[in-house]
Amino acid sequence: MGLEFNDSAKKELERIKARYPERQAALLPALYLAQREFGYVSDEAIKYLAQVLELPKSRIYGVASFYTMFNKKPVGKYFIQVCANISCAMMGADGLFDYLSSKLGIKEGETTKDGKYTLCKVECLGACGEAPMMQVNEKYYGPLTREKVDKILSELK
Amino acid sequence: MSELPKILSANWGKPNSTKLETYLAAGGYKAAEKALGMEPGKVAQEVLDAGLRGRGGAGFPAGRKWTFMPKDSRPRYLCVNADEGEPGTFKDRDIMRFDPHMLIEGIIIACWAMQANNSYIYIRGEFAEPADILEKALDEAYAKGYLGDKIFGKDFSLKVWVHRGAGAYECGEETALIESLEGKRGQPRIRPPFPPQRGVFNMPTTVNNVETIASVPFILKEGVAAYRKYGTEKSPGTKLFCISGHVNKPGVYELPLGFPLMKLIAEVAGGMKDGMKLKAVIPGGSSTPVLRAEECQNVNLDYESLAAAGSMLGSGAVIVIGEGTCMVKLLEILARFYAHESCGQCTPCREGCGWAAQIAKRIHEGDAEIKDIDVLYSVGEQMLGRTICPLADAAACPIMTFTSKFRAEFEAHIKNRGCPQAKAYPVEFK
Ligand SMILES: Cc1cc2nc3c(=O)[nH]c(=O)nc-3n(C[C@H](O)[C@H](O)[C@H](O)COP(=O)(O)O)c2cc1C
Ligand code: SF4
Ligand code: FES
C-alpha cells in the first residue's frame, strides 16, 4: 500500500484544482499539501501525486527539486532557518547561527537526535528590518538576541 | 516627521487594520466603486496621468503597461507579484500583513481597467502569515460582493486567488513567475511573445508588483492632482522604503519620492547605529550599484536622482553599511546568493555566477592574486546583456561596482593573505 491523502486532504486537493484552468498548475499547492500530510516530499509522495494529478512522476520530481521549500528528506519538529543574507549578516547573523548551533549541538543541515530541531542557513527571507532574524516552521522571529533565542527555544515544546 | 504623507501606510498600526470594517471606516472600496462606474480605458488613463511607475524594480509606467493587453475574446489575467525576494526588500510583506484590503481594492480597479476576470497573487512561500491574512481578507471581500460574480452590481466577475511560491528568488522575474504559477520549474521564458500576448495559461497577462497595485485606490479616489502633490514631476507619489543595516531604526517608511537619502538615514531611520560612520549604501536592493558615502550626500530617492548618481531606485531597499564592514565579505554573500538563485538556463549566468562566488570567496580568504580582482570584474562584465532574463545583470552589478569602488579593500585581502579585519562586521550578536 502506497501513501494516500485522508478524506479532508482529498477534499482540499479538489478545491485546489478548481482554482486553475490547467491540471499542472495545482502542483505547487499539492506538493505543499503532501508535505504537510506526509511530513516531507518522499518518492512515495511523488508517486501518489503523479497518480492523483495525472502527471508524469519525472515531471513532479523535476519541479519538486527546483524549489527549496519542498523537503526531500524528513526535518525536525522545529525547522529553524537562519537568514544569512546581507542585512542579517551585517547585524550578526553568523553569531546567531553559531549560538543556535552550539546550543542545539548540531551543524548546518543537521537534525538533533531526538528529531526535535533541524538547523539551516537560508537566503534573505524578506524581513531585513528585523535583522538578525530566523524562521521557525512558518513563523518569523527578529531582531534576535541571545536572550530572545533562549526564550523562543524554551517555549518550543 | 509628522508632515510625511501616508497613502500606502495610512491604516498601518490601527487596531484590526487587516479587517474589512477598518478599511471601510477609512473610506475603503469607494475607489473601486467609482472606477467601476468609469470606462475601463479612462481608469488606465488616470493611473497613467498620475505617473505611477512600477514598484517592482524597473519603474515602468503602470497605466501604460495595462494598455498592452489585447482586446480579443481570450480570458485575461492579472498576476500580482508578491515574491519579494530581492535582498534588502521587505515592503510588500507589510502591505499584505497590515492592510490586505488596499491591495485587493487595487486588484479590483486594475482588473476592471484591463477587463481581466482572474487574478493570482503570487506570494513567496515563506510568507505564510501574510498569505493567511490575505486569504481571510479575500473571504471578507467575496462575502461583501466585492469579488465574485457581478461585483458592485456590474456585469463583471472577478476571482482572486493566493498562490504560494516555494523558495526561488528567480520566480520574482515575471516570466519565471508565470511558469511557476503553471506548476513548472521557475525558469524565465524567451521574449517575445511578451506576457500581454501570451502569459499564464497562454492567455494575455499583466504582472504588477504589490506596491504598484496598492497605490492605485488612492489615485482613483483622490485624483491625479492629489497624487502628484507628492514626489517629483517624473517620479510622482509616495513609495515604501525598506531601510536595513546599520541604522538605529530599520524598517519600512513611506516617503514622497525625491526624499533626500541622507535625511532618511539621519532622521527617519534614527541615524547611524551606535554613532557609526557611514561607509556605503546600496540604495535599491542587492542588484543596484553600491554608492560610497561621499556619493550619497546629495542623492534624492527618486528614479532620476539615483540614475544620475549612477545607481537605481530599484525596489526601494536601502541597505546602509557602516564603517568597519568588510566589503569583500558583503560581495561574497551577494555573489553566493546569485549563484544559488540562477536558474541555470543561460551559460553566462550559470557559469558566471558560480565563478564570481568562488573568486569572491577566495579573495576574502586571501587565497588569490591581484589579477583575480580583474578576473572577477570581467566575469561580471561578460554576464551583461546576454541572457534570457535580467538576473545575470542583477548579479553583475554588485560584482562590478564593489570591485571597482572598493578595489583597495580587495587588494588588501590579497596582500594580507586574508581579511585584514578581525571581524567582518562592526556589529556582533549579543
Ligand atoms: C531576478 C528577478 C527577480 C525579481 N523579483 C521581483 C520581485 O520579487 N517582486 C517584484 O515585484 N518584481 C520582481 N522582479 C521584476 C518583475 O520581473 C517585474 O518587472 C515586476 O513584477 C513588474 O511589476 P511593476 O511593473 O509593477 O513594477 C524581478 C525581476 C528579476 C529579473
Ligand atoms: S539569466 Fe540566469 S536566472 Fe535568468 S534565465 Fe538565464 S540562467 Fe536563468
Ligand atoms: S537579509 Fe535577512 S531577511 Fe533579508
Side-chain angles (χ1 to χ4, degrees):
Chain A
M1 260 301 280
L3 290 174
E4 196 180 337
F5 282 155
N6 60 28
D7 285 347
S8 93
K10 277 183 185 157
K11 283 203 193 100
E12 205 170 329
L13 184 66
E14 288 313 308
R15 281 199 299 274
I16 290 169
K17 284 195 200 154
R19 303 204 298 246
Y20 309 95
E22 286 177 9
R23 209 166 52 226
Q24 187 166 343
L27 182 50
L28 259 60
L31 281 162
Y32 271 118
L33 190 59
Q35 178 151 298
R36 193 189 74 202
E37 294 296 309
F38 307 137
Y40 69 105
V41 181
S42 59
D43 288 346
E44 285 288 284
I46 287 177
K47 209 161 121 192
Y48 176 63
L49 286 183
Q51 225 177 64
V52 291
L53 293 175
E54 296 168 67
L55 292 169
K57 241 170 42 185
S58 58
R59 197 180 305 168
I60 300 187
Y61 189 80
V63 170
S65 61
F66 183 84
Y67 297 94
T68 56
M69 286 181 67
F70 299 124
N71 303 318
K72 266 63 86 188
K73 46 179 211 218
V75 293
K77 183 172 175 205
Y78 297 108
F79 188 17
I80 305 179
Q81 298 174 281
V82 178
C83 173
N85 211 292
I86 183 162
S87 302
C88 288
M90 287 199 291
M91 296 298 283
D94 284 348
L96 165 62
F97 185 88
D98 292 343
Y99 185 64
L100 281 160
S101 173
S102 71
K103 220 177 137 95
L104 302 173
I106 44 175
K107 293 204 275 294
E108 153 100 272
E110 291 180 352
T111 302
T112 51
K113 283 213 182 66
D114 60 2
K116 197 165 166 192
Y117 301 103
T118 299
L119 182 63
C120 270
K121 284 185 189 174
V122 288
E123 299 298 357
C124 179
L125 288 169
C128 332
E130 296 156 43
M133 61 83 60
M134 67 179 181
Q135 180 179 10
V136 182
N137 295 346
E138 298 210 313
K139 210 166 143 48
Y140 279 18
Y141 297 91
L144 294 170
T145 57
R146 280 165 195 258
E147 203 179 316
K148 281 193 213 164
V149 170
D150 291 346
K151 185 156 179 289
I152 293 160
L153 290 184
S154 73
E155 281 163 7
L156 300 178
K157 285 285 130 41
Chain B
M1 291 282 130
S2 55
E3 78 280 16
L4 290 177
K6 286 205 183 318
I7 294 175
L8 291 154
S9 59
N11 300 321
W12 300 6
K14 287 184 185 172
N16 297 315
S17 71
T18 64
K19 290 271 180 299
L20 179 62
E21 65 217 39
T22 314
Y23 192 63
L24 288 174
Y29 289 102
K30 290 235 165 67
E33 199 177 346
K34 182 174 164 193
L36 267 71
M38 292 162 63
E39 279 293 313
K42 183 79 186 32
V43 175
Q45 189 63 43
E46 287 274 295
V47 173
L48 184 62
D49 291 344
L52 174 64
R53 298 171 64 169
R55 304 295 194 227
F60 193 83
R64 170 139 317 121
K65 198 182 236 188
W66 298 355
T67 64
F68 295 157
M69 291 287 267
K71 304 221 160 32
D72 52 30
S73 61
R74 292 179 294 165
R76 285 175 283 268
Y77 288 84
L78 169 69
C79 292
V80 178
N81 193 338
D83 199 51
E84 192 146 86
E86 171 97 345
T89 315
F90 48 100
K91 62 188 176 72
D92 297 336
R93 171 171 176 245
D94 281 3
I95 294 177
M96 295 184 285
R97 69 188 177 130
F98 297 146
D99 199 359
H101 283 288
M102 191 176 278
L103 175 61
I104 296 170
E105 184 174 20
I107 292 173
I108 296 170
I109 299 168
C111 284
W112 173 256
M114 290 182 271
Q115 292 291 292
N117 301 109
N118 305 284
S119 176
Y120 292 98
I121 304 171
Y122 185 101
I123 186 167
R124 65 177 293 171
E126 295 88 345
F127 283 176
E129 185 209 1
D132 272 356
I133 293 172
L134 269 176
E135 296 273 14
K136 292 203 179 85
L138 287 173
D139 287 346
E140 287 181 316
Y142 275 108
K144 261 293 209 197
Y146 297 157
L147 295 175
D149 291 329
K150 295 203 186 310
I151 61 172
F152 294 93
K154 287 268 159 189
D155 194 15
F156 181 71
S157 85
L158 174 58
K159 293 207 174 108
V160 182
W161 300 273
V162 176
H163 184 95
R164 284 177 77 186
Y169 163 67
E170 186 46 19
C171 291
E173 192 281 331
E174 58 181 21
T175 61
L177 182 151
I178 288 169
E179 287 282 298
S180 177
L181 187 49
E182 292 181 352
K184 301 173 185 154
R185 297 163 74 93
Q187 293 181 316
R189 294 180 179 173
I190 295 173
R191 279 150 285 203
F194 290 92
Q197 278 73 51
R198 216 185 296 155
V200 71
F201 310 124
N202 281 324
M203 298 302 163
T205 301
T206 290
V207 181
N208 271 130
N209 173 258
V210 167
E211 187 187 354
T212 313
I213 295 294
S215 300
V216 168
F218 179 91
I219 295 169
L220 265 291
K221 192 157 140 244
E222 307 291 337
V224 168
Y227 192 71
R228 283 191 168 271
K229 220 168 78 197
Y230 308 112
T232 69
E233 173 61 30
K234 286 190 174 148
S235 301
T238 65
K239 160 123 196 56
L240 297 175
F241 288 93
C242 328
I243 184 162
S244 67
H246 296 144
V247 290
N248 285 317
K249 290 195 295 176
V252 178
Y253 299 99
E254 179 169 12
L255 301 172
L257 285 161
F259 196 86
L261 169 59
M262 293 309 286
K263 194 168 164 186
L264 164 60
I265 297 173
E267 295 176 28
V268 182
M272 292 296 294
K273 191 171 170 57
D274 310 326
M276 229 178 256
K277 229 177 117 211
L278 180 68
K279 179 170 186 176
V281 175
I282 304 177
S286 64
S287 54
T288 61
V290 62
L291 299 173
R292 287 192 231 98
E294 62 271 24
E295 295 174 295
C296 296
Q297 300 309 317
N298 298 311
V299 167
N300 294 332
L301 295 165
D302 58 73
Y303 298 95
E304 291 69 35
S305 178
L306 275 156
S311 191
M312 287 185 277
L313 183 76
S315 56
V318 179
I319 304 170
V320 179
I321 303 164
E323 202 62 74
T325 308
C326 173
M327 300 305 278
V328 181
K329 185 72 197 176
L330 291 191
L331 181 62
E332 184 192 327
I333 290 176
L334 293 180
R336 177 200 70 206
F337 168 73
Y338 288 105
H340 183 255
E341 303 297 336
S342 166
C343 84
Q345 282 190 102
C346 321
T347 314
C349 176
R350 184 184 62 239
E351 301 298 321
C353 287
W355 283 337
Q358 282 177 28
I359 302 171
K361 184 165 191 286
R362 278 201 292 109
I363 296 178
H364 185 253
E365 287 162 0
D367 176 22
E369 293 169 46
I370 296 289
K371 69 170 188 341
D372 288 326
I373 306 173
D374 302 315
V375 173
L376 182 53
Y377 182 90
S378 72
V379 167
E381 207 171 20
Q382 305 212 2
M383 281 158 61
L384 289 177
R386 299 167 189 233
T387 51
I388 295 175
C389 94
L391 181 132
D393 308 83
C397 185
I399 296 170
M400 294 167 69
T401 55
F402 273 67
T403 47
S404 55
K405 293 190 180 188
F406 296 92
R407 183 169 176 109
E409 247 178 83
F410 284 77
E411 288 177 357
H413 278 73
I414 294 164
K415 289 186 186 134
N416 186 58
R417 293 269 149 228
C419 189
Q421 301 180 189
K423 321 175 264 146
Y425 316 104
V427 176
E428 259 179 289
F429 181 67
K430 283 203 272 284

